[in-house]
Amino acid sequence: MTKLFEVPLYPYKRSADQDAPTPIRHPVVVIGAGPVGLAMAIDLAQADIPVVVLDENDKVSVGSRAICFSKRTLEIFDRLGCGDEMVNKGVVWNVGKVFFGDRQVYDFNLLPEEGHKRPAFINLQQYYCELYLVERIRALQAEGKPIEIRGGNKVVNLVEQEDHTIVTIETVDGAYNLDAEWLIACDGAASPARRLLDKDFVGRVFEDNFLITDVIMKADFPTERWFWFDPPFNKDQSALLHKQPDGVWRIDLQLGWDIDKEEEKKPENVIPRLKQMLGDDVEFDLEWVSIYTFQCRRMETFRHGRVIFAGDSAHQVSPFGARGANSGFQDVDNLGWKLKLVLTGEAPETLLDSYVFERELGADENILQSSRSTDFITPKSEISRIFRDAVLDLSEHYEFARPLVNSGRLSVPSVYDGSPLNGPDVDTLPVFTRPGSPIVDAPLGNSWLLETLEGDFVLLGIGVDVPDGVELQGVTVKGITVPKAEINPFLQARYLNEADQAVYLIRPDQHVAARWTEFDMDNIETAMNIVLGKGGQGQ
Amino acid sequence: MTTATTKPNLDQPDAFYADLLTAHEGLTKEESDAFNARLILLMANQIGDRKVLNQLLEAAGSK
């Protein structure tokens, strides 16, 4: 059987740029056709910004890799036009089991919170995610959108200029140059772009190795998440079992730092461990085995002039909490609209400084969460092990201890507190929809709030009339009015609290920019000035 | 309760102290350490308030 990841999806094709007498100038060049690079390109192309994606490869990634896609990521995929494909293929799980040593300490059932279009997360192999993103690009191309993926295009040199970067690309036909007005490096943790430009990747917090395997079970096996602390088959470390589509199970075994990678990967070493884990009578085939090595760290700054870093090239965390790819999509979400406004001249270049502020804040939060999970999973001192074991022992009989059990805190979108783009707030309105927060979905008529917003600037009037559409600071702002009679309990709780009306100014990445309890055009104009990075006093 | 009390507040202090020692009787050092950790976690949950817990952490640190 030919595997999805063996088929060339965007094979090398000679581009007219290669025959041009002088380098062709492109507004945006994205390096890397991984999930983050592909999503970045879709976001820009949907806004009619021409974009070229370069990748030395021509296929989706091998093995499952990133498998847990969070609700916010699914909402971003909805905005990018491929949410349904991901959710229809993905696996939703609710039951989890926690093991400590050789015994199960407790299980849990994550009942989904009502009033959201998307589940809290789905499990899906990264290669499917990439496939659906590539298919979305093909659909955009068919609509005539300016987007191109060039496989077999390896970036070998970058030279930074005042207002562009000279990109040298190697192909089977030889090398050629492009001029990129804006270069977005989405080329992963080992980022060749970062190396070529000699940029730092400092602040290492910790490092670890994981043995990651995809296993095909020959018989039924429950759709549950199993997490082991200090199991007999992986002493002092952790193990995770997760269901994926197509009867594929993902197993992560933490290995620690000082290991022999080649030795650990050998099937004769892997299979006995898996048998101990799954039980002797469970039959399975190994589909993929890999060692994932990470160092928890981030770049000191995500922007160097006309070069911007997004995803793993900018920051790396442990796999606990699914904060890698999910935070990369939040980078994309944050950067897309800002770069578009800068390219069209609707906003000053300084707007991009807010990408740096907001996404570095996001990365710091992910590194903090990731460090806390790691401290729980692999205690660094005797006393820290004593407390960890105490929590796990107590969790077997006492519910209070279960929230202390930390096997990774699932990625939730960052709230950009203190962002220079945040406008006025009213503190009697709900705290989780304050300026800087992502919009919390809610049913709206026969649809959903997030679906109604799409990716525009939106003025949302809840219980108060706002104009259908206005030009503010040269930018179109869509108006949505929810009449008093249509305010449901979800909208009330998530956007009003005790108030009977509110006005929200919402950014294209579906984060709140400012909010009021009265409609006043002058206030909105001022907030719009702030959110476009044109200055003015924020919060 | 929003402030930690460091004034006497124990019901029958001598009896509590004796109970604490009794609970540790016959335990190895390792078992006692584990017992203490469980007890601290249970007590912390009983208190709940982060502000109070921080004051107690500080009080314990300053001896």
Side-chain angles (χ1 to χ4, degrees):
Chain A
M1 191 178 85
T2 311
K3 304 271 189 218
L4 177 60
F5 41 81
E6 290 165 353
V7 186
L9 274 184
Y10 38 90
Y12 170 76
K13 260 175 43 192
R14 194 178 175 85
S15 152
D17 289 5
Q18 288 165 259
D19 301 315
T22 54
I24 301 295
R25 199 176 172 98
H26 290 270
V28 184
V29 171
V30 172
I31 308 179
V36 175
L38 294 170
M40 188 75 246
I42 293 170
D43 201 9
L44 293 166
Q46 286 192 155
D48 294 305
I49 301 295
V51 56
V52 176
V53 183
L54 305 173
D55 199 296
E56 61 178 304
N57 210 319
D58 59 5
K59 303 177 189 72
V60 294
S61 64
V62 178
S64 56
R65 300 176 62 157
I67 61 156
C68 192
F69 296 92
S70 72
K71 174 168 172 289
R72 181 62 201 149
T73 293
L74 300 175
E75 291 164 354
I76 295 169
F77 287 155
D78 277 336
R79 197 171 62 68
L80 299 180
C82 52
D84 287 342
E85 288 77 1
M86 306 278 179
V87 174
N88 292 344
K89 183 73 188 177
V91 170
V92 176
W93 60 269
N94 296 111
V95 174
K97 287 181 177 161
V98 178
F99 299 86
F100 176 36
D102 55 6
R103 70 192 204 276
Q104 180 184 327
V105 282
Y106 68 97
D107 57 22
F108 56 89
N109 191 344
L110 296 172
L111 292 172
E113 188 181 289
E114 278 181 64
H116 298 269
K117 179 182 176 190
R118 293 308 186 191
F121 45 83
I122 59 164
N123 283 358
L124 183 72
Q125 293 91 327
Q126 180 172 325
Y127 47 79
Y128 278 120
C129 170
E130 291 179 17
L131 173 70
Y132 301 140
L133 290 167
V134 171
E135 285 175 351
R136 175 64 184 148
I137 288 177
R138 298 299 178 220
L140 288 168
Q141 286 171 329
E143 288 170 28
K145 293 289 188 187
I147 184 168
E148 211 187 310
I149 322 179
R150 295 186 189 171
N153 274 240
K154 184 182 180 182
V155 174
V156 291
N157 200 32
L158 296 170
V159 181
E160 292 174 272
Q161 302 289 305
E162 182 67 29
D163 64 350
H164 68 282
T165 305
I166 304 168
V167 185
T168 305
I169 300 153
E170 230 168 54
T171 72
V172 288
D173 288 337
Y176 72 106
N177 282 356
L178 283 183
D179 286 348
E181 276 179 48
W182 293 92
L183 185 69
I184 311 178
C186 307
D187 49 353
S191 179
R194 201 181 55 225
R195 191 173 34 79
L196 290 170
L197 293 167
D198 199 21
K199 303 301 182 202
D200 67 88
F201 199 27
V202 294
R204 188 184 74 211
V205 185
F206 56 86
E207 46 205 2
D208 211 332
N209 288 295
F210 284 79
L211 179 79
I212 294 186
T213 55
D214 282 339
V215 156
I216 300 173
M217 301 284 188
K218 291 185 174 164
D220 280 349
F221 205 80
T223 302
E224 296 171 354
R225 175 192 192 261
W226 292 4
F227 195 97
W228 283 263
F229 292 95
D230 196 11
F233 53 86
N234 199 22
K235 279 307 282 176
D236 295 336
Q237 303 285 352
S238 67
L240 174 68
L241 175 75
H242 245 199
K243 173 82 191 283
Q244 304 178 86
D246 303 339
V248 178
W249 294 83
R250 165 69 170 269
I251 294 165
D252 293 2
L253 288 161
Q254 194 182 4
L255 295 177
W257 190 239
D258 285 320
I259 55 146
D260 181 341
K261 291 185 192 176
E262 288 315 307
E263 198 59 27
E264 294 286 355
K265 264 198 322 204
K266 288 183 181 161
E268 65 260 37
N269 291 326
V270 175
I271 290 169
R273 276 190 191 234
L274 299 185
K275 279 193 175 301
Q276 258 187 294
M277 185 173 175
L278 302 171
D280 267 339
D281 49 343
V282 176
E283 287 193 73
F284 59 84
D285 284 328
L286 272 186
E287 185 181 60
W288 175 67
V289 179
S290 169
I291 303 266
Y292 174 65
T293 300
F294 76 91
Q295 297 188 316
C296 190
R297 58 186 175 172
R298 76 161 170 92
M299 289 182 81
E300 214 155 355
T301 177
F302 295 174
R303 179 184 164 206
H304 290 272
R306 292 296 190 104
V307 184
I308 300 171
F309 291 82
D312 280 2
S313 71
H315 44 75
Q316 231 197 330
V317 291
S318 74
F320 305 123
R323 290 168 179 272
N326 286 309
S327 67
F329 294 121
Q330 288 168 54
D331 291 347
V332 166
D333 199 29
N334 192 287
L335 181 56
W337 65 276
K338 294 174 182 175
L339 192 55
K340 183 224 161 197
L341 291 173
V342 169
L343 275 161
T344 54
E346 291 163 287
E349 210 175 295
T350 49
L351 179 60
L352 293 171
D353 295 337
S354 69
Y355 166 75
V356 174
F357 178 94
E358 294 179 342
R359 293 315 302 158
E360 288 179 3
L361 188 134
D364 287 344
E365 195 176 292
N366 286 324
I367 289 171
L368 174 72
Q369 294 286 354
S370 186
S371 304
R372 285 176 171 174
S373 300
T374 305
D375 283 343
F376 191 86
I377 293 161
T378 41
K380 302 286 183 291
S381 67
E382 191 193 352
I383 191 69
S384 124
R385 171 173 297 275
I386 290 170
F387 275 115
R388 196 284 304 268
D389 291 354
V391 166
L392 289 168
D393 282 332
L394 288 165
S395 74
E396 188 170 2
H397 303 292
Y398 306 113
E399 220 177 307
F400 91 87
R402 294 177 191 169
L404 290 167
V405 175
N406 191 342
S407 63
R409 302 290 182 219
L410 187 77
S411 168
V412 288
S414 298
V415 176
Y416 302 132
D417 282 324
S419 166
L421 304 190
N422 291 351
D425 187 20
V426 179
D427 60 12
T428 50
L429 295 174
V431 68
F432 43 82
T433 42
R434 66 188 180 276
S437 311
I439 285 292
V440 182
D441 205 4
L444 186 62
N446 297 324
S447 177
W448 298 94
L449 176 57
L450 282 170
E451 247 174 41
T452 317
L453 298 177
E454 296 176 309
D456 300 304
F457 272 107
V458 170
L459 199 54
L460 174 69
I462 304 175
V464 53
D465 282 348
V466 294
D468 281 345
V470 280
E471 282 278 312
L472 289 170
Q473 301 285 331
V475 175
T476 306
V477 180
K478 185 163 90 177
I480 298 170
T481 299
V482 182
K484 278 204 163 55
E486 283 177 31
I487 299 174
N488 57 49
F490 295 106
L491 281 171
Q492 184 77 41
R494 292 170 190 174
Y495 291 92
L496 296 175
N497 254 356
E498 305 299 316
D500 54 6
Q501 62 174 52
V503 175
Y504 281 75
L505 178 64
I506 301 165
R507 305 168 11 167
D509 59 2
Q510 305 173 332
H511 278 248
V512 176
R515 59 181 183 176
W516 307 266
T517 42
E518 306 288 336
F519 172 74
D520 179 311
M521 214 52 195
D522 286 345
N523 287 342
I524 291 162
E525 186 101 37
T526 306
M528 200 61 194
N529 216 39
I530 294 169
V531 78
L532 291 174
K534 293 180 179 177
Q537 203 55 45
Q539 274 183 310
Chain B
M1 185 168 66
T2 51
T3 322
T5 179
T6 50
K7 299 268 184 276
N9 188 44
L10 276 172
D11 180 22
Q12 303 178 46
D14 288 347
F16 164 72
Y17 195 78
D19 288 345
L20 190 59
L21 294 189
T22 307
H24 279 277
E25 244 167 57
L27 299 186
T28 62
K29 168 81 169 80
E30 203 179 314
E31 288 164 344
S32 271
D33 285 346
F35 180 96
N36 279 341
R38 290 194 297 272
L39 184 63
I40 289 170
L41 292 166
L42 283 158
M43 287 176 164
N45 184 61
Q46 184 68 36
I47 294 162
D49 192 316
R50 275 280 312 279
K51 223 169 95 188
V52 175
L53 288 168
N54 281 330
Q55 288 168 1
L56 294 174
L57 284 171
E58 202 179 316
S62 61
K63 279 190 259 190

